[in-house]
C-alpha cells in the first residue's frame, strides 16, 4: 500500500501556480487518500498553523510565503453513481483534472459541462468560485459537494443550496479556513440543451459549418477554439485568467455610466443592480497591453494580469491595485480581484 500522504518542509511554490511567482510553503502535504486529511491536520508540527488547499494554482496569487500547511489533493477517481437513462450522477474526486472530467463526460454523451471546457484547474476547486464561462456556471450541474469540515471535524455532504453558489462565489470561498472539498457529484443530462447565446459561441459553431442542433461535443470544441484565441496560455506567459470580477453595481450608477459612455456594456443583475464589464472599464483607462517591469495587463485581454517573467506576487498585486485605483477614479467603480490573494489584503 502506498503511503496515504507525503509531507515535505519548505516547498517551492513557483511550479505550483500559473502566475509562476516564487514563494514557499512551510509545509506541503500531497494527499493520496481523503480519509488521511484529519490525521495530517492533527500532526503536532502543523498544530495552529494556517492551512490551505492548492489545486493547480490557476486562481491564486502568492504575495508572500505561506507560513503554514498547503494540502494538494491527489485522489482523482471518476465514476457514474447512478444512471436512469435521462440523467446520470457522476462523482469526481477533488484531484481529478477539470478539463479531463469535461472530456470524460462528453465521451459518455453526458451534457451539462460543455461550456466549461478548457477551464484550468482541478475538480475540487470548481465549486469554490462556482466556475463559469460562456453562459454556464458549474452550480447548474452540481448536486452534492463532499468536504472535510474543519470546524465540526467531520466529512459533510452539502447539497447545491447549502453551497450558497453565486457569481464567482460560494460558501467555500467565503470560509476558506473551514472547508476542504474532497469530491463533487454532478447531475448530467442525456439530452443536450445547448447554451449558445454567449460571446461568440453561435458564430464559432457557424464558422465550423454547424448551424442547427449542435452536440455538446461540438459546443465544447467551439468553446475551446474561442478560449485558445482569446486567452493567453499560462504555460507560455504567467497568468490566472480573469484577474478582476465583473462589478455588480447599483443600477443608478450603471445608468450614469451609460449616460456618459453610451457604448459601455451593462448587463442585468439581481434586483436593483447591474453588472458592468470589468474588461471595458480597464480598457477605458488605457491599461490593455500596458507593462511595468515584468507585470502587466495582457494585450490579448484587458481582464488578464500577466507575469512576463520574474515579477513577484507583491509586484503583480501592486500593479493590479493601480489598475483598480484608476478605474475607481474614472468611473467610480471599485474592482475586486477574482483569484485568492495569499499573504496580503486586497
Ligand atoms: C487561462 C485561465 C483561464 C481561466 N478561465 C476561467 C473561466 O473561464 N472561468 C472561471 O471561473 N475560472 C477561470 N480561471 C480560474 C481558475 O482556472 C478556476 O478558478 C479553477 O477552478 C481553479 O482551479 P485550481 O485547481 O487551479 O485552484 P487553485 O488556484 O489551486 O485554488 C483556487 C482557490 O480554491 C481553493 N481550493 C482549491 N481546491 C480546493 C479544495 N479541494 N477544497 C477547498 N478549497 C480549494 C484554494 O485554496 C484557492 O482559494 C482561469 C484561469 C486561467 C489561468
Amino acid at each position: 500500500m502506498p503511503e496515504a500522504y507525503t509531507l515535505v518542509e519548505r516547498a517551492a511554490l513557483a511550479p505550483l501556480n500559473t502566475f509562476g511567482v516564487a514563494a514557499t510553503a512551510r509545509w506541503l502535504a500531497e494527499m493520496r487518500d481523503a480519509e488521511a486529511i484529519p490525521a495530517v491536520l492533527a500532526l503536532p508540527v502543523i498544530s495552529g498553523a494556517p492551512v490551505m488547499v492548492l489545486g493547480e494554482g490557476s486562481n491564486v496569487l502568492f504575495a508572500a510565503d505561506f507560513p503554514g500547511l498547503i494540502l494538494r489533493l491527489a485522489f482523482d477517481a471518476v465514476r457514474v453513481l447512478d444512471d436512469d437513462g435521462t440523467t446520470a450522477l457522476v462523482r469526481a474526486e477533488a484531484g481529478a483534472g477539470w478539463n479531463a472530467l469535461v472530456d470524460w463526460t462528453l465521451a459518455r454523451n453526458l451534457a451539462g459541462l460543455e461550456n466549461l471546457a478548457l477551464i484550468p484547474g482541478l475538480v475540487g476547486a470548481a465549486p469554490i468560485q462556482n466556475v463559469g464561462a460562456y453562459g454556464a456556471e458549474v452550480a447548474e450541474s452540481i448536486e452534492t459537494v463532499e468536504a472535510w469540515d474543519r470546524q465540526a471535524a467531520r466529512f459533510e455532504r452539502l447539497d447545491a443550496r447549502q453551497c450558497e453558489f453565486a457569481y464567482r462565489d460560494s460558501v467555500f470561498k467565503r470560509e476558506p479556513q473551514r472547508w476542504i472539498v474532497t469530491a463533487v457529484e454532478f447531475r448530467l443530462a442525456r439530452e443536450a440543451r445547448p447554451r449558445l447565446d454567449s460571446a461568440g459561441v453561435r458564430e464559432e459553431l457557424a464558422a465550423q459549418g454547424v448551424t442547427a442542433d449542435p452536440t455538446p461535443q461540438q459546443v465544447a470544441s467551439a468553446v475551446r477554439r474561442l478560449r485558445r484565441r482569446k486567452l493567453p496560455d499560462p504555460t507560455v506567459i504567467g497568468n490566472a485568467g480573469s484577474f478582476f470580477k465583473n462589478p455588480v453595481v447599483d443600477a443608478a450608477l450603471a445608468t450614469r455610466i451609460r449616460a456618459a459612455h453610451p457604448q459601455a456594456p451593462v448587463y442585468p443583475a439581481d434586483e436593483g443592480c447591474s453588472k458592468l464589464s470589468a474588461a471595458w472599464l480597464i480598457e477605458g483607462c488605457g491599461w490593455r497591453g500596458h507593462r511595468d517591469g515584468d507585470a502587466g495587463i495582457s494585450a490579448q485581454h484587458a481582464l488578464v494580469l500577466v507575469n512576463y517573467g520574474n515579477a513577484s506576487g507583491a509586484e503583480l498585486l501592486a500593479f493590479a491595485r493601480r489598475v483598480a485605483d484608476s478605474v475607481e477614479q474614472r468611473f467610480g467603480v471599485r474592482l475586486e480581484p477574482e483569484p485568492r490573494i495569499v499573504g496580503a489584503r486586497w
Side-chain angles (χ1 to χ4, degrees):
M1 267 280 278
E3 290 288 324
Y5 65 87
T6 318
L7 185 67
V8 294
E9 197 174 355
R10 296 198 198 289
L13 298 174
L16 305 182
N17 73 90
T18 60
F19 270 120
V21 297
T24 56
R26 178 79 169 86
W27 299 97
L28 182 88
E30 170 120 342
M31 309 298 306
R32 284 176 286 275
D33 183 352
E35 298 294 327
I37 290 173
V40 170
L41 297 178
L43 290 171
V45 286
I46 304 303
S47 143
V51 173
M52 78 172 271
V53 184
L54 188 62
E56 280 183 354
S58 66
N59 213 25
V60 278
L61 177 59
F62 286 102
D65 292 336
F66 190 72
L69 169 71
I70 288 191
L71 293 172
R72 300 192 78 214
L73 310 183
F75 35 93
D76 59 1
V78 179
R79 67 197 165 100
V80 174
L81 291 182
D82 164 47
D83 187 345
D84 63 14
T86 307
T87 67
L89 187 63
V90 172
R91 176 189 162 88
E93 291 182 335
W98 174 258
N99 190 49
L101 173 72
V102 174
D103 277 341
W104 191 98
T105 60
L106 293 174
R108 284 156 185 81
N109 293 318
L110 293 169
L113 304 183
E114 58 276 11
N115 292 48
L116 306 177
L118 215 59
I119 295 179
L122 302 183
V123 165
I128 308 301
Q129 72 154 3
N130 177 20
V131 291
Y134 294 94
E137 288 185 339
V138 75
E140 297 154 25
S141 303
I142 290 181
E143 191 160 290
T144 306
V145 172
E146 206 172 86
W148 174 257
D149 178 353
R150 294 184 62 210
Q151 199 168 298
R154 60 170 181 254
F155 284 99
E156 294 281 4
R157 288 175 57 78
L158 288 83
D159 63 28
R161 192 187 47 79
Q162 292 170 305
C163 296
E164 296 176 21
F165 290 121
Y167 166 62
R168 299 294 184 276
D169 202 17
S170 72
V171 71
F172 313 109
K173 192 166 178 178
R174 288 193 293 278
E175 297 182 89
Q177 283 302 318
R178 179 167 177 191
W179 299 105
I180 297 172
V181 172
T182 51
V184 185
E185 292 172 10
F186 302 89
R187 178 64 68 181
L188 302 173
R190 289 260 166 237
E191 198 180 323
R193 274 179 295 132
R195 282 150 300 171
L196 309 176
D197 292 331
S198 178
V201 178
R202 212 181 284 280
E203 293 75 6
E204 185 64 32
L205 283 161
Q208 301 300 314
V210 183
T211 47
D213 300 328
T215 64
Q217 290 83 348
Q218 287 169 327
V219 173
S221 25
V223 165
R224 288 194 170 109
R225 281 193 300 273
L226 282 165
R227 293 183 68 96
R228 287 199 175 101
R229 270 208 309 276
K230 288 190 174 174
L231 288 169
D233 178 351
T235 61
V236 178
I237 183 159
N239 76 87
S242 302
F243 190 81
F244 296 101
K245 293 196 270 192
N246 287 323
V248 176
V249 300
D250 194 89
L253 174 57
T255 307
R256 282 204 300 282
I257 292 176
R258 202 45 171 304
H261 310 276
Q263 70 289 21
V266 175
Y267 309 99
D270 287 344
E271 215 173 299
C273 294
S274 301
K275 196 189 272 183
L276 304 175
S277 158
W280 187 88
L281 298 168
I282 293 166
E283 208 159 338
C285 294
W287 287 103
R288 183 163 169 172
H290 188 86
R291 175 175 177 172
D292 189 357
D294 273 350
I297 291 292
S298 167
Q300 236 173 311
H301 200 307
L303 269 187
V304 182
L305 179 69
V306 291
N307 178 6
Y308 285 101
N310 294 314
S312 68
E315 285 165 347
L316 288 165
L317 183 60
F319 190 94
R321 285 194 187 120
R322 282 170 54 205
V323 172
D325 288 349
S326 76
V327 166
E328 188 167 17
Q329 264 167 23
R330 172 128 203 247
F331 296 106
V333 176
R334 186 69 193 163
L335 295 179
E336 293 296 327
E338 187 185 297
R340 173 166 176 185
I341 294 166
V342 179
R345 280 185 185 277
W346 172 244

